[in-house]
Amino acid sequence: MQYMVEASGLVKTYKRPDGTEIEAVKGISLNIQKGEIFSLLGPNGAGKTTTISMISGLIKPSKGDAKIGGYSITKEAIAAKRLMGVVPQEIALYPELSARRNLEFFGQLYGLNGKELGKRVDEVLEFIDLSDRQKDRVDTFSGGMKRRVNIGVGLLHRPQLVYMDEPTVGIDPQSRRRILDTVFKLRDEYNMTVLYTTHLMEEAQELSNRVAIIDHGQIIALGTQGELTQQVGEEDRLLFKVGTQTIADALLKNVETTVESVTRALYDAPSQTTDNGGETIPGMITVFAKRGRKALPHVIRVLNEADIEISSVEVREPDLEAVFLHLTGRALRD
Amino acid sequence: MRNILTITLNDLRVFFADMGNVAGLVVLPVVLTLILGIATGGGGDNTVRLRVDFLDLDNTPESAQVLESLRNTNASLYFCPVDDGEETNCRLEDDETLTLELAQQRVRDGISEALIVIPAGYAEKLQTFEPVAIDYYSLADAVSGDIVLTALDAAVLEVNGAIVAAQVGVQIGDNFDPESDTPIFEDDATRAEFSQKVYDRATTYLAQQPLTIQYVVNQEVVENEISAATAGFGQSVPGQGSTFVMFTVMGGLFILIRERKQATLQRLVIMPITRAEILAGKALTYFTLGMIQYMIVFIVGVFSGMDFGDAPFAIFLTMVAFVVCIAALTFALATRISTEGQANGVSLLLSMTLAPLGGAWWPIEITPPIMQTIAQISPVYWAMSGFKEVIFYQGTLTDVLVPVGVLLAAAVVLFWIGVRGFKYG
């Protein structure tokens, strides 16, 4: 089978100011089939953007290589780049120029000109639903509209492969929904291959044919959603939000030993997010149980006996979040 | 090449989309050039003339000959009070006579560039081959460049040559009998002996310097007025042009940092174009903006009736070399600058120091010799040297080759630093 992307042994090492080295990506290998949506899922700082930057030719790998449609990104960069459209995480546009001017400029660098350029720009404007605002300066657009233009630039030359690096960061739910629908459209209507990075489990779950879970610069699991959830067995997860209370290890041990079907209990302490003005994420107890709904009242009883105030309870069936938790012992969040 | 031009055109479009940039490129430079040009003597006198006081206490054809030699040596000098007129204003009141004391005070006040005094009895002493000295008064240091002194030197050399020839001739004549049929030289050996004698005597007399300049430095400066000779649009146009070229081109540093921040630079890297094309596109943008800036300021000079000399290509070449050098400096700085604040600070700091240091805001000739030496680290100094050669001294392409060479050599080094360490993200 010929793959759209073949990455082998990608390593990226950076030098710290003190002269020591840090390995941001530690030997990632993956193959992406033509026409599939492939997601790189992992928490912030896991190495997703560094990996996609190496595959797209933005940064040079310290070791390893990636082939795009058979062309090496290190040795045949221009040929490889012609096959790909990149949608970076940042809004990489000229805010002083109109949406149309931005598209025309990048289209010219993709080798388009004359009537062909005008036709493609019109098509893309229609695709991203901004034909009526094409002459407005980008700095007058909403966040979601800018994201759509950002995506449009990557589609101008009808690439075989589209990279999307966390394209839904910082936008409203309506715009996010529109972008996710666009991704499906690219695969289903235009037969494009999509490499999508996200730290949101729901997005990876909804979009992807296959998912690679990445943490600390390494792929820790790769497969379809079904294949991955099999790794954690049939266990449900019971999620208890417990605010800022301190949870002792002894209490978790008590839950594991006294409640039938519970296999494991973990605690994530409260934390501060870096975005949205430093919001506090409440502490969370996660209990793995083979029959979650049956174990639920018993777990609540044990927690009540320990005077733990529960602010909310949720029962989740096996998903990618569970896989990440199972493999790393940490929740997939900031 | 197509990609390079596409990048440059887009950058220019982005630059001109901001009306603040347009104002900075046109309004401020034009206004400042006009103000400084008019304030420092600008007007339509496009050839810069140096006002020199010439006090002839001898009033003989020989002393008049010195004045004639001075005029022939440097046409940009005019002499007061003899040349007093509308275009060559000596700044003397109608009933005012130029005395030695007044002339000395005028030099101290900076009204005249220098004072040359031909002493009484000058012609007589020349005729009897007695030593005689022309007094020369100037604010300039004797070891620094002084174009009036250079002209006087040349005139004195001319007079000395004539005196020596006359003296040798007289001595030959003393022993020559025109009535005799006998040839002066009996044989070749006599001829050779005579030739050697003339040579030896001429050498001796030239060494004695019958006519010398007595250099008097006016130490007591009352008020140092900028000389009209080195001021006006001839100074303000290239000076302000170079200053604003630095502002504009080094402003590219801010644009570059912003492109990094808004990730458009990274987006260019992932396009199917080479990194060399990206850098060349950016460099061409800075070059174009720098040349536009120079053109805008020089157009002010054209409308002000300024004389650009006889070598427009030499001026153009100096402009190109300076803009290339500043563009290279911008690239070199970009390797170390990471925030927009730093970019603004550094470009402002360098523009505001290198421009005046290099003689863009005032004639470098009025600064102390040590400053003139230090000034050579500024690219502006070399650009101004090139411009002045053509505008003030009627220089040609050959005369600007040194400053242009220095600027281009600096550009090569700075580009090398900039390209090697260029950061895209």
Side-chain angles (χ1 to χ4, degrees), chain A residues 56-60 78 81-82 84 86-88 90-97 101 105-106 108-113 137 149-151 153-154, chain B residues 2-4 6-11 13-15 17-18 258-259 261-275 277 282 424-425:
Chain A
S56 62
L58 177 60
I59 56 173
K60 286 181 181 165
I78 302 292
K81 285 175 183 177
R82 282 191 208 286
M84 61 171 102
V86 181
V87 181
E90 300 85 0
I91 307 290
L93 301 168
Y94 294 96
E96 305 87 346
L97 303 182
R101 275 273 184 231
F105 167 60
F106 290 112
Q108 284 175 312
L109 294 182
Y110 277 124
L112 303 170
N113 52 52
R137 281 169 61 126
V149 181
N150 205 33
I151 292 172
V153 170
Chain B
R2 183 175 167 269
N3 289 334
I4 295 170
T6 302
I7 290 170
T8 300
L9 283 175
N10 187 68
D11 284 350
R13 202 173 277 137
V14 170
F15 182 88
D18 186 341
R258 199 178 55 179
E259 277 226 59
K261 199 173 158 189
Q262 71 191 18
T264 41
L265 204 53
Q266 292 94 310
R267 179 157 233 158
L268 291 179
V269 175
I270 50 185
M271 291 276 164
I273 57 175
T274 63
R275 291 184 185 217
E277 285 176 316
K282 297 293 170 196
Y424 291 88

Coordinates of all heavy atoms in Angstrom, one line a residue, chain A residues 56-60 78 81-82 84 86-88 90-97 101 105-106 108-113 137 149-151 153-154, chain B residues 2-4 6-11 13-15 17-18 258-259 261-275 277 282 424-425:
Chain A
S56 N 5.8 18.8 7.9 CA 5.4 19.9 6.9 C 6.6 20.6 6.4 O 6.5 21.5 5.5 CB 4.4 20.9 7.6 OG 5.0 21.5 8.7
G57 N 7.8 20.4 7.0 CA 9.0 21.0 6.5 C 9.3 22.4 7.2 O 10.2 23.1 6.7
L58 N 8.5 22.7 8.2 CA 8.8 24.0 8.9 C 10.1 23.9 9.7 O 10.9 24.9 9.7 CB 7.6 24.3 9.8 CG 7.7 25.6 10.6 CD1 7.9 26.8 9.8 CD2 6.5 25.8 11.5
I59 N 10.3 22.8 10.3 CA 11.6 22.6 11.0 C 12.2 21.3 10.6 O 11.5 20.4 10.1 CB 11.4 22.6 12.6 CG1 10.4 21.6 13.0 CG2 11.0 24.0 13.1 CD1 10.3 21.4 14.5
K60 N 13.6 21.3 10.6 CA 14.3 20.1 10.2 C 14.4 19.1 11.3 O 14.7 19.5 12.4 CB 15.7 20.5 9.7 CG 15.6 21.2 8.4 CD 17.0 21.6 7.9 CE 16.8 22.3 6.5 NZ 18.0 23.1 6.1
I78 N 10.5 20.8 -1.9 CA 9.6 21.6 -2.8 C 8.5 20.7 -3.4 O 7.3 21.0 -3.3 CB 10.3 22.4 -3.9 CG1 11.4 23.3 -3.3 CG2 9.4 23.1 -4.8 CD1 10.8 24.5 -2.5
K81 N 6.2 19.7 -0.6 CA 5.3 20.8 -0.2 C 4.2 21.1 -1.2 O 3.1 21.6 -0.8 CB 6.1 22.0 0.1 CG 7.0 22.0 1.4 CD 7.8 23.2 1.5 CE 8.8 23.1 2.7 NZ 9.7 24.3 2.7
R82 N 4.4 20.8 -2.4 CA 3.4 21.0 -3.4 C 2.2 20.1 -3.2 O 1.0 20.4 -3.6 CB 3.9 20.7 -4.8 CG 4.8 21.8 -5.4 CD 5.0 21.6 -6.9 NE 6.3 22.2 -7.3 CZ 6.5 23.5 -7.4 NH1 5.5 24.3 -7.2 NH2 7.7 24.0 -7.7
M84 N 1.0 19.3 -0.2 CA 0.3 19.5 1.0 C -0.2 20.9 1.2 O 0.4 21.9 0.7 CB 1.3 19.2 2.2 CG 2.5 20.0 2.2 SD 3.5 19.8 3.7 CE 4.8 18.7 3.2
V86 N -1.2 23.4 4.4 CA -1.0 23.4 5.9 C -1.9 24.5 6.5 O -2.0 25.6 6.0 CB 0.5 23.7 6.2 CG1 0.7 23.7 7.7 CG2 1.4 22.7 5.6
V87 N -2.6 24.1 7.6 CA -3.4 25.0 8.4 C -2.7 25.1 9.7 O -2.9 24.3 10.6 CB -4.8 24.5 8.5 CG1 -5.7 25.5 9.3 CG2 -5.4 24.3 7.1
P88 N -1.9 26.1 9.9 CA -1.2 26.2 11.2 C -2.1 26.6 12.4 O -3.3 27.1 12.1 CB -0.2 27.3 11.0 CG -0.6 28.1 9.8 CD -1.5 27.2 9.0
E90 N -1.7 29.0 14.5 CA -1.9 30.4 14.6 C -2.6 30.9 13.3 O -2.7 30.2 12.3 CB -0.5 31.1 14.6 CG 0.4 30.8 15.7 CD 1.2 29.5 15.4 OE1 1.1 28.9 14.4 OE2 2.0 29.1 16.3
I91 N -3.3 32.1 13.5 CA -3.9 32.7 12.3 C -2.8 33.3 11.5 O -2.5 34.5 11.7 CB -4.9 33.7 12.7 CG1 -5.9 33.2 13.7 CG2 -5.7 34.3 11.5 CD1 -6.9 32.2 13.2
A92 N -2.3 32.5 10.5 CA -1.1 33.0 9.8 C -1.6 33.8 8.5 O -1.4 33.3 7.4 CB -0.2 31.8 9.4
L93 N -2.1 35.0 8.8 CA -2.6 35.8 7.7 C -2.1 37.2 7.9 O -1.7 37.6 9.0 CB -4.1 35.8 7.7 CG -4.9 34.5 7.6 CD1 -6.3 34.7 8.0 CD2 -4.7 33.9 6.2
Y94 N -2.2 38.0 6.8 CA -1.8 39.4 7.0 C -3.1 40.2 7.3 O -4.0 40.4 6.5 CB -1.3 40.0 5.6 CG 0.1 39.3 5.3 CD1 0.1 38.2 4.5 CD2 1.2 39.8 5.9 CE1 1.3 37.6 4.2 CE2 2.4 39.1 5.6 CZ 2.5 38.0 4.8 OH 3.7 37.4 4.5
P95 N -3.2 40.7 8.6 CA -4.4 41.3 9.0 C -4.8 42.6 8.3 O -6.0 43.0 8.2 CB -4.2 41.6 10.5 CG -2.7 41.4 10.7 CD -2.2 40.6 9.6
E96 N -3.8 43.3 7.7 CA -4.0 44.5 7.0 C -4.7 44.3 5.7 O -5.2 45.3 5.1 CB -2.7 45.3 6.8 CG -1.9 45.6 8.0 CD -0.9 44.4 8.4 OE1 -1.1 43.3 7.8 OE2 -0.1 44.6 9.2
L97 N -4.6 43.1 5.2 CA -5.1 42.8 3.8 C -6.5 42.2 3.9 O -6.8 41.6 4.9 CB -4.1 41.9 3.0 CG -2.7 42.5 2.9 CD1 -1.9 41.5 2.1 CD2 -2.7 43.8 2.2
R101 N -7.2 39.2 -0.9 CA -5.7 39.5 -1.1 C -4.9 38.5 -0.5 O -3.8 38.0 -1.0 CB -5.4 40.9 -0.5 CG -5.7 42.0 -1.4 CD -4.5 42.3 -2.4 NE -4.8 43.5 -3.2 CZ -4.7 43.5 -4.5 NH1 -4.3 42.4 -5.2 NH2 -4.9 44.6 -5.2
F105 N -2.3 36.1 -2.6 CA -0.9 36.1 -2.3 C -0.4 34.7 -2.1 O 0.6 34.2 -2.8 CB -0.5 37.0 -1.1 CG 0.8 36.8 -0.6 CD1 1.9 37.0 -1.4 CD2 1.1 36.3 0.7 CE1 3.2 36.8 -1.0 CE2 2.4 36.1 1.1 CZ 3.5 36.4 0.3
F106 N -1.0 33.9 -1.2 CA -0.5 32.6 -1.0 C -0.8 31.7 -2.2 O 0.0 30.8 -2.5 CB -1.2 32.0 0.3 CG -0.7 32.7 1.5 CD1 -1.6 33.5 2.3 CD2 0.6 32.5 2.0 CE1 -1.1 34.1 3.4 CE2 1.1 33.1 3.1 CZ 0.2 33.9 3.9
Q108 N -0.5 32.6 -5.3 CA 0.6 32.8 -6.2 C 1.9 32.0 -5.8 O 2.6 31.5 -6.7 CB 0.9 34.3 -6.2 CG -0.1 35.2 -7.0 CD 0.2 36.6 -6.9 OE1 0.4 37.2 -5.8 NE2 0.2 37.3 -8.0
L109 N 2.1 31.9 -4.5 CA 3.3 31.2 -4.1 C 3.1 29.7 -4.3 O 4.0 28.9 -4.3 CB 3.6 31.5 -2.6 CG 4.0 32.9 -2.3 CD1 4.3 33.1 -0.8 CD2 5.2 33.3 -3.1
Y110 N 1.8 29.3 -4.4 CA 1.5 27.9 -4.7 C 1.6 27.6 -6.2 O 1.3 26.6 -6.7 CB 0.2 27.4 -4.2 CG 0.1 27.0 -2.8 CD1 -0.7 27.6 -1.9 CD2 1.0 26.0 -2.3 CE1 -0.8 27.2 -0.5 CE2 0.9 25.6 -1.0 CZ 0.1 26.2 -0.1 OH 0.0 25.8 1.2
G111 N 2.0 28.7 -7.0 CA 2.2 28.5 -8.4 C 1.0 28.9 -9.2 O 1.0 28.7 -10.5
L112 N -0.1 29.4 -8.6 CA -1.3 29.7 -9.4 C -1.2 31.2 -9.9 O -0.6 32.0 -9.2 CB -2.5 29.6 -8.5 CG -2.8 28.3 -7.8 CD1 -3.9 28.4 -6.8 CD2 -3.2 27.2 -8.9
N113 N -1.8 31.5 -11.0 CA -1.8 32.9 -11.5 C -2.9 33.0 -12.5 O -3.5 32.1 -13.0 CB -0.5 33.3 -12.0 CG 0.1 32.4 -13.1 OD1 -0.6 32.0 -14.0 ND2 1.3 31.9 -12.9
R137 N -11.0 43.7 5.3 CA -9.7 43.4 5.9 C -9.9 42.3 6.9 O -10.9 42.2 7.7 CB -9.1 44.7 6.6 CG -8.5 45.7 5.7 CD -8.2 47.0 6.4 NE -7.3 46.8 7.6 CZ -6.2 47.5 7.7 NH1 -5.8 48.4 6.8 NH2 -5.4 47.3 8.8
V149 N -10.5 31.5 7.0 CA -9.6 32.0 5.9 C -8.3 31.2 6.0 O -7.7 30.8 5.0 CB -9.4 33.5 6.0 CG1 -8.4 34.0 5.0 CG2 -10.7 34.3 6.0
N150 N -7.9 31.0 7.3 CA -6.6 30.3 7.6 C -6.7 28.9 6.9 O -5.7 28.4 6.4 CB -6.5 30.2 9.1 CG -5.0 30.0 9.5 OD1 -4.1 30.5 8.9 ND2 -4.8 29.3 10.6
I151 N -7.8 28.3 7.0 CA -8.0 26.9 6.4 C -8.0 27.1 4.9 O -7.4 26.3 4.2 CB -9.3 26.3 6.9 CG1 -9.2 25.9 8.4 CG2 -9.7 25.0 6.1 CD1 -10.5 25.5 9.1
V153 N -6.6 29.1 2.9 CA -5.2 29.2 2.3 C -4.6 27.9 2.1 O -4.0 27.7 1.0 CB -4.3 30.1 3.3 CG1 -2.9 30.0 2.8 CG2 -4.8 31.5 3.4
G154 N -4.8 27.0 3.0 CA -4.2 25.6 2.8 C -4.9 24.8 1.8 O -4.4 23.7 1.4
Chain B
R2 N 10.1 35.0 -9.7 CA 8.6 35.4 -9.6 C 8.2 35.3 -8.1 O 7.5 36.2 -7.7 CB 7.8 34.4 -10.4 CG 6.4 34.6 -10.4 CD 5.7 33.7 -11.4 NE 4.2 33.7 -11.2 CZ 3.6 33.0 -10.3 NH1 4.2 32.1 -9.6 NH2 2.3 33.1 -10.2
N3 N 8.7 34.3 -7.4 CA 8.3 34.2 -6.0 C 8.9 35.4 -5.2 O 8.2 35.9 -4.3 CB 8.8 32.9 -5.4 CG 8.0 31.7 -5.9 OD1 6.8 31.9 -6.3 ND2 8.6 30.6 -6.0
I4 N 10.1 35.8 -5.5 CA 10.7 36.9 -4.8 C 9.9 38.2 -5.0 O 9.6 38.9 -4.0 CB 12.2 37.1 -5.3 CG1 13.0 35.9 -4.9 CG2 12.8 38.4 -4.7 CD1 14.4 35.9 -5.6
T6 N 6.8 38.4 -5.9 CA 5.5 38.2 -5.2 C 5.5 38.6 -3.7 O 4.7 39.3 -3.2 CB 5.0 36.7 -5.4 OG1 4.9 36.4 -6.8 CG2 3.6 36.5 -4.8
I7 N 6.6 38.1 -3.1 CA 6.8 38.4 -1.7 C 7.0 39.9 -1.5 O 6.4 40.5 -0.6 CB 8.0 37.6 -1.1 CG1 7.6 36.1 -1.0 CG2 8.3 38.1 0.3 CD1 8.7 35.1 -0.7
T8 N 7.8 40.5 -2.3 CA 8.1 41.9 -2.1 C 6.9 42.7 -2.4 O 6.6 43.6 -1.6 CB 9.2 42.3 -3.2 OG1 10.4 41.6 -2.9 CG2 9.5 43.8 -3.1
L9 N 6.1 42.4 -3.4 CA 4.9 43.2 -3.7 C 3.9 43.1 -2.6 O 3.3 44.1 -2.2 CB 4.3 42.7 -5.0 CG 5.0 43.2 -6.3 CD1 4.4 42.6 -7.5 CD2 4.9 44.7 -6.4
N10 N 3.8 41.9 -2.0 CA 2.9 41.7 -0.9 C 3.3 42.5 0.3 O 2.5 43.1 1.0 CB 2.8 40.2 -0.6 CG 1.7 40.0 0.5 OD1 0.5 40.1 0.2 ND2 2.1 39.6 1.7
D11 N 4.6 42.5 0.6 CA 5.1 43.2 1.7 C 4.9 44.7 1.5 O 4.5 45.4 2.5 CB 6.6 43.0 1.9 CG 6.9 41.6 2.5 OD1 6.0 41.0 3.0 OD2 8.1 41.2 2.5
R13 N 2.5 46.0 -0.2 CA 1.1 46.2 -0.1 C 0.7 46.3 1.4 O -0.1 47.2 1.8 CB 0.4 45.0 -0.7 CG -1.0 45.3 -1.1 CD -1.6 44.1 -1.9 NE -1.3 44.1 -3.3 CZ -0.9 43.0 -4.0 NH1 -0.8 41.9 -3.4 NH2 -0.6 43.1 -5.2
V14 N 1.3 45.4 2.2 CA 1.0 45.4 3.6 C 1.5 46.8 4.2 O 0.9 47.4 5.0 CB 1.7 44.2 4.3 CG1 1.7 44.4 5.9 CG2 1.1 42.9 3.9
F15 N 2.7 47.2 3.8 CA 3.3 48.4 4.3 C 2.4 49.6 4.0 O 2.1 50.4 4.9 CB 4.7 48.6 3.7 CG 5.5 49.8 4.2 CD1 6.2 49.7 5.4 CD2 5.4 51.0 3.6 CE1 6.9 50.8 5.9 CE2 6.1 52.1 4.1 CZ 6.8 52.0 5.2
A17 N -0.6 49.6 3.3 CA -2.0 49.6 3.8 C -2.2 50.3 5.1 O -3.3 50.7 5.5 CB -2.4 48.1 4.1
D18 N -1.0 50.6 5.8 CA -1.0 51.4 7.0 C -0.7 52.8 6.7 O 0.4 53.2 6.3 CB 0.0 50.7 8.0 CG -0.1 51.4 9.3 OD1 -0.6 52.5 9.5 OD2 0.4 50.7 10.3
R258 N 7.0 41.1 13.7 CA 5.5 40.9 13.7 C 5.1 39.7 12.8 O 4.2 38.9 13.1 CB 4.8 42.1 13.2 CG 3.4 42.2 13.6 CD 2.7 43.5 13.2 NE 2.9 43.7 11.7 CZ 2.4 44.7 11.1 NH1 1.8 45.6 11.7 NH2 2.6 44.9 9.8
E259 N 5.9 39.5 11.7 CA 5.6 38.4 10.8 C 5.9 37.1 11.5 O 5.2 36.1 11.3 CB 6.4 38.5 9.5 CG 5.8 39.4 8.5 CD 5.8 38.8 7.1 OE1 5.3 37.7 6.9 OE2 6.4 39.4 6.2
K261 N 5.6 36.7 14.7 CA 4.6 36.5 15.8 C 3.3 36.1 15.2 O 2.6 35.3 15.7 CB 4.4 37.9 16.4 CG 3.8 37.9 17.8 CD 3.8 39.2 18.4 CE 2.8 39.4 19.5 NZ 2.7 40.8 19.9
Q262 N 2.9 36.7 14.0 CA 1.6 36.3 13.4 C 1.7 35.1 12.5 O 0.8 34.7 11.9 CB 1.0 37.5 12.6 CG 1.7 37.8 11.4 CD 1.3 39.2 10.8 OE1 0.7 40.0 11.5 NE2 1.6 39.4 9.5
A263 N 2.9 34.5 12.5 CA 3.2 33.2 11.9 C 3.1 33.2 10.4 O 3.1 32.1 9.7 CB 2.3 32.1 12.4
T264 N 3.1 34.4 9.8 CA 3.1 34.4 8.3 C 4.5 34.0 7.8 O 4.6 33.4 6.7 CB 2.7 35.8 7.8 OG1 3.3 36.8 8.6 CG2 1.2 36.0 7.8
L265 N 5.5 34.3 8.5 CA 6.9 33.9 8.1 C 7.0 32.4 8.1 O 7.5 31.8 7.2 CB 7.9 34.5 9.1 CG 9.3 34.7 8.5 CD1 9.3 35.5 7.2 CD2 10.1 35.4 9.6
Q266 N 6.4 31.7 9.1 CA 6.4 30.3 9.2 C 5.6 29.7 8.0 O 5.9 28.7 7.5 CB 5.8 29.8 10.5 CG 6.7 30.1 11.7 CD 6.3 31.4 12.4 OE1 6.1 32.4 11.7 NE2 6.1 31.3 13.7
R267 N 4.5 30.4 7.7 CA 3.6 29.9 6.6 C 4.4 29.9 5.3 O 4.2 29.0 4.5 CB 2.3 30.7 6.5 CG 1.4 30.3 5.4 CD 0.0 30.7 5.7 NE -0.9 29.6 5.6 CZ -2.1 29.5 6.1 NH1 -2.6 30.4 6.8 NH2 -2.8 28.4 5.9
L268 N 5.2 31.0 5.1 CA 6.0 31.1 3.9 C 7.0 29.9 3.8 O 7.2 29.3 2.7 CB 6.8 32.4 3.9 CG 6.0 33.6 3.7 CD1 6.9 34.9 3.7 CD2 5.2 33.6 2.4
V269 N 7.5 29.5 5.0 CA 8.5 28.4 5.0 C 7.8 27.1 4.5 O 8.5 26.2 3.8 CB 9.1 28.2 6.4 CG1 10.0 27.0 6.4 CG2 9.9 29.4 6.8
I270 N 6.5 26.9 4.8 CA 5.9 25.6 4.5 C 5.3 25.7 3.1 O 4.6 24.8 2.6 CB 4.8 25.2 5.5 CG1 3.9 26.3 5.9 CG2 5.5 24.6 6.7 CD1 2.9 25.9 7.0
M271 N 5.5 26.8 2.4 CA 5.0 26.9 1.0 C 6.1 26.3 0.1 O 7.2 26.1 0.5 CB 4.9 28.4 0.6 CG 3.8 29.2 1.3 SD 2.4 28.9 0.3 CE 1.1 29.4 1.4
P272 N 5.7 25.9 -1.1 CA 6.7 25.2 -2.0 C 7.6 26.3 -2.6 O 7.7 26.4 -3.9 CB 5.8 24.5 -3.1 CG 4.5 25.3 -3.0 CD 4.3 25.9 -1.7
I273 N 8.3 27.0 -1.8 CA 9.4 27.9 -2.3 C 10.6 27.7 -1.4 O 10.5 27.2 -0.3 CB 8.9 29.4 -2.2 CG1 8.4 29.8 -0.7 CG2 7.7 29.7 -3.1 CD1 8.1 31.2 -0.6
T274 N 11.7 28.2 -1.8 CA 13.0 28.0 -1.1 C 13.1 29.1 0.0 O 12.5 30.2 -0.1 CB 14.2 28.0 -2.0 OG1 14.3 29.3 -2.5 CG2 14.1 27.0 -3.1
R275 N 13.9 28.8 1.0 CA 14.2 29.8 2.0 C 14.9 31.0 1.5 O 14.8 32.2 1.9 CB 14.9 29.2 3.2 CG 14.0 28.2 3.9 CD 14.7 27.6 5.2 NE 13.7 26.6 5.7 CZ 13.5 26.4 7.0 NH1 14.2 27.0 7.9 NH2 12.7 25.5 7.4
E277 N 14.5 32.3 -1.4 CA 13.6 33.2 -2.1 C 12.9 34.0 -1.1 O 12.6 35.2 -1.3 CB 12.5 32.3 -2.9 CG 13.1 31.8 -4.2 CD 12.1 30.8 -4.9 OE1 11.4 30.0 -4.2 OE2 12.0 31.0 -6.1
K282 N 12.3 39.5 1.2 CA 12.3 40.4 2.3 C 13.4 41.5 2.0 O 13.1 42.7 2.3 CB 12.6 39.7 3.6 CG 11.5 38.7 4.0 CD 10.2 39.4 4.3 CE 9.1 38.3 4.5 NZ 7.8 39.0 4.4
Y424 N 13.0 31.9 11.6 CA 11.7 32.0 10.9 C 10.5 32.0 12.0 O 9.4 32.3 11.7 CB 11.5 30.9 9.9 CG 12.4 31.0 8.7 CD1 13.7 30.4 8.7 CD2 12.0 31.7 7.6 CE1 14.5 30.6 7.7 CE2 12.8 31.8 6.5 CZ 14.1 31.3 6.5 OH 14.9 31.4 5.5
G425 N 10.8 31.4 13.1 CA 9.8 31.3 14.1 C 10.3 31.5 15.5 O 11.5 31.8 15.7

